[in-house]
């Protein structure tokens, strides 16, 4: 359409210029005036159909948009009339379970047994004349590195090879008491079976269309909020670990920087939402670069899993969590995940996965919605782990566990 208008504009200029030269050669002022009048009339004649056509096109698109928007609004209103009370009942049941302070003796009556309503109406249309609201860019590795240096003067000591990072990860995992099966299968599930230490969610494959979908980073896909929270809760452990092997000025400087990062992470109450707010600042983004450091990164990645293991032990679980059970705690949070762990098989078969999600998270998570009972979700997780564990990265990690 823009090319059409450009051509019309050029025609008007040529017509006016040509008419002027012809008419100025004539002897009478009346003839000149008449001819100029005709030229102007012709120029206007060229404009009318173009503008009129454009207006008609815009009006038609807006009419179609309003019609689609009305249909969407009616359909979503009907859906929301069912969904809103459903998700309120999910929240109410969850609050009652938490108030008990125990994960034992939970029964089917403690959960909502119906599946959530599914929206099946038309999609929300896009206004053809409205500019899309700019989405906030998700930070990527380059941003983590830039802010780490700018905010803390920190440059991660990256591994000479992927195997060096894997080796450091295995040593940290062994020291924490984690098993090879837990670590290898979760690595396979989270990083796609062959992910590198700096793999970020959405950027697993080197293709032009790849875009980061979250800040999830590394073997266990820690979010930037995880990094801030782990420093706040377990930072002293990391400092002690570094002190045990720091013999040069370089190591001591890394400890000093780490302490500054810990102090920042502890500047708010130990709550997820407060840590998420810090993680979204330049300093929080810089802290996430710790995952790329050969000394600190493996400790962070391992600590995320160990936190869940310790949660289970504090609540009376004496056995060894399977990788899939540990992943449930990673996926839905320790409390909700541990409920699934403690749930007998007969309940796993009937309890909808919606009981362990907020509405927004569930509606954005096709895996949980498709595998809509606890049993199905755990089975699907195990299946994916079985497949991805056969890839080179997972096999290399498994081999290193056999050496250490």
């Amino acid at each position: 359409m823009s090319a059409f208008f450009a051509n019309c504009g050029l025609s008007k200029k040529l017509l006016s210029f040509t008419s002027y030269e012809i008419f100025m050669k004539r002897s009478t002022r009346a003839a000149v005036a008449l001819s100029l009048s005709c030229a102007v009339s012709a120029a206007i004649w060229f404009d009318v159909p173009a503008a009129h056509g454009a207006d008609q096109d815009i009006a038609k698109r807006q009419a179609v948009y309003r019609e689609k928007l009305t249909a969407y609004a009616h359909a979503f209103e009907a859906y929301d009339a069912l969904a809103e009370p459903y998700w309120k009942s999910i929240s109410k049941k969850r609050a009652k379970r938490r108030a008990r302070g125990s994960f034992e003796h939970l029964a089917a009556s403690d959960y909502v047994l119906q599946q959530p309503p599914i929206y099946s109406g038309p999609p929300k249309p896009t206004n053809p004349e409205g500019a899309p609201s700019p989405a906030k860019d998700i930070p990527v590795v380059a941003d983590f590195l830039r802010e780490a240096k700018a905010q803390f003067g920190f440059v991660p000591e990256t591994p000479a090879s992927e195997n060096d990072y894997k080796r450091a990860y295995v040593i940290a995992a062994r020291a924490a008491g984690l098993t090879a099966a837990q670590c290898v299968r979760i690595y396979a599930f989270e990083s796609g079976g062959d992910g590198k230490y700096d793999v970020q969610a959405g950027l697993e494959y080197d293709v032009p269309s790849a875009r980061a979908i979250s800040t999830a980073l590394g073997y266990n896909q820690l979010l930037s909020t995880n990094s801030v929270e782990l420093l706040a809760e377990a930072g002293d452990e990391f400092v002690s670990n570094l002190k045990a092997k720091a013999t040069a000025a370089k190591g001591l400087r890394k400890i000093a920087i780490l302490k500054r990062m810990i102090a920042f992470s502890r500047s708010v109450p130990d709550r997820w939402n407060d840590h998420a707010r810090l993680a979204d600042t330049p300093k929080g983004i810089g802290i996430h670069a710790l995952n790329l450091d050969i000394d600190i990164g493996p400790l962070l990645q391992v600590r995320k899993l160990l936190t869940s293991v310790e949660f289970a032990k504090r609540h009376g679980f004496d056995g060894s969590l399977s990788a899939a059970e540990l992943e449930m705690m990673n996926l839905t949070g320790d409390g909700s995940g541990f409920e699934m762990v403690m749930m007998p098989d007969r309940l796993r078969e009937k309890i909808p996965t919606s009981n362990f999600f907020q509405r927004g998270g569930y509606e954005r998570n096709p895996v949980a919605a498709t595998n809509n009972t606890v049993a199905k979700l755990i089975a699907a997780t195990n299946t994916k782990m079985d497949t991805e564990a056969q890839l080179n990265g997972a096999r290399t990690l498994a081999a290193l566990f056999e050496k250490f």
Side-chain angles (χ1 to χ4, degrees):
M1 188 62 72
S2 60
F4 174 77
F5 284 124
N7 291 336
C8 286
L10 180 60
S11 299
K12 287 190 292 182
K13 290 180 181 179
L14 288 174
L15 176 60
S16 299
F17 180 76
T18 304
S19 299
Y20 179 79
E21 284 209 313
I22 293 172
F23 301 147
M24 284 302 290
K25 292 178 181 179
R26 299 187 179 180
S27 57
T28 65
R29 182 174 296 180
V32 173
L34 178 61
S35 299
L36 287 173
S37 177
C38 290
V40 172
S41 297
I44 294 173
W45 184 87
F46 271 84
D47 267 348
V48 170
H52 183 64
D55 289 343
Q56 280 189 330
D57 184 60
I58 292 172
K60 182 182 292 185
R61 284 187 289 153
Q62 281 293 333
V64 171
Y65 165 69
R66 286 192 295 270
E67 184 179 343
K68 289 183 177 180
L69 186 62
T70 299
Y72 165 77
H74 287 160
F76 190 83
E77 184 179 7
Y79 160 73
D80 200 48
L82 300 174
E84 185 65 20
Y86 176 87
W87 288 102
K88 281 185 178 179
S89 67
I90 289 285
S91 297
K92 187 176 180 179
K93 291 272 190 179
R94 182 186 296 119
K96 285 185 177 180
R97 296 196 305 272
R98 293 292 183 270
R100 291 173 56 171
S102 172
F103 294 96
E104 296 180 333
H105 310 301
L106 290 170
S109 58
D110 294 308
Y111 299 90
V112 175
L113 300 182
Q114 294 77 31
Q115 292 292 342
I118 298 174
Y119 177 72
S120 58
K124 184 177 182 179
T126 301
N127 188 338
E129 300 304 317
S133 57
K136 181 178 179 181
D137 289 336
I138 295 173
V140 295
V141 168
D143 300 309
F144 307 145
L145 294 172
R146 184 189 65 251
E147 296 299 348
K149 187 173 183 178
Q151 303 298 323
F152 297 101
F154 177 67
V155 178
E157 186 178 348
T158 55
S161 69
E162 191 64 33
N163 270 11
D164 285 345
Y165 195 98
K166 278 188 167 69
R167 191 175 298 108
Y169 177 81
V170 168
I171 292 171
R174 285 294 194 197
L178 298 175
T179 69
Q182 289 171 329
C183 293
V184 172
R185 288 174 68 78
I186 289 177
Y187 161 82
F189 182 87
E190 290 285 0
S191 71
D194 203 23
K196 305 298 187 288
Y197 76 97
D198 60 351
V199 63
Q200 185 172 351
L203 300 175
E204 295 90 344
Y205 307 103
D206 186 18
V207 294
S209 61
R211 297 290 184 273
I213 59 175
S214 79
T215 58
L217 188 65
Y219 290 176
N220 295 325
Q221 292 289 279
L222 269 63
L223 297 169
S224 56
T225 304
N226 292 133
S227 294
V228 171
E229 185 162 82
L230 289 170
L231 280 197
E233 296 176 350
D236 296 338
E237 295 178 15
F238 306 149
V239 170
S240 297
N241 189 288
L242 290 187
K243 282 182 177 179
K245 57 184 179 182
T247 57
K250 182 179 179 182
L252 296 176
R253 183 174 181 276
K254 186 183 292 189
I255 292 173
I257 291 174
L258 179 59
K259 286 182 176 180
R260 286 168 50 210
M261 291 180 172
I262 293 170
F264 174 75
S265 298
R266 291 174 176 171
S267 64
V268 298
D270 187 10
R271 294 191 294 258
W272 177 264
N273 288 342
D274 291 301
H275 290 147
R277 180 172 55 81
L278 290 189
D280 199 33
T281 66
K283 286 187 176 181
I285 292 170
I287 283 175
H288 205 36
L290 287 173
N291 287 280
L292 308 175
D293 185 83
I294 186 66
D295 294 321
I296 306 173
L299 299 177
L300 275 169
Q301 295 285 324
V302 165
R303 217 328 148 174
K304 178 63 174 67
L305 300 184
L306 183 58
T307 296
S308 296
V309 171
E310 290 175 345
F311 181 95
K313 286 183 178 180
R314 285 199 307 272
H315 290 85
F317 186 81
D318 295 327
S320 177
L321 293 166
S322 71
E325 289 173 335
L326 196 51
E327 182 57 36
M328 292 302 100
M329 299 178 73
N330 187 45
L331 177 66
T332 65
D334 286 338
S336 292
F338 189 61
E339 281 188 52
M340 298 188 207
V341 171
M342 296 296 289
M343 193 176 288
D345 289 342
R346 59 181 177 78
L347 286 185
R348 288 184 179 185
E349 295 287 345
K350 66 173 66 174
I351 304 299
T353 54
S354 55
N355 284 275
F356 307 100
F357 289 86
Q358 301 294 333
R359 177 179 176 177
Y362 184 87
E363 290 176 343
R364 291 190 301 269
N365 191 329
V367 175
T370 301
N371 302 285
N372 58 10
T373 65
V374 172
K376 288 180 181 178
L377 184 59
I378 292 176
T381 301
N382 269 318
T383 297
K384 188 174 188 297
M385 287 178 170
D386 290 342
T387 301
E388 306 290 357
Q390 300 306 312
L391 299 181
N392 287 337
R395 293 168 71 90
T396 300
L397 186 62
L400 286 170
F401 265 100
E402 293 180 2
K403 294 182 178 180
F404 293 94

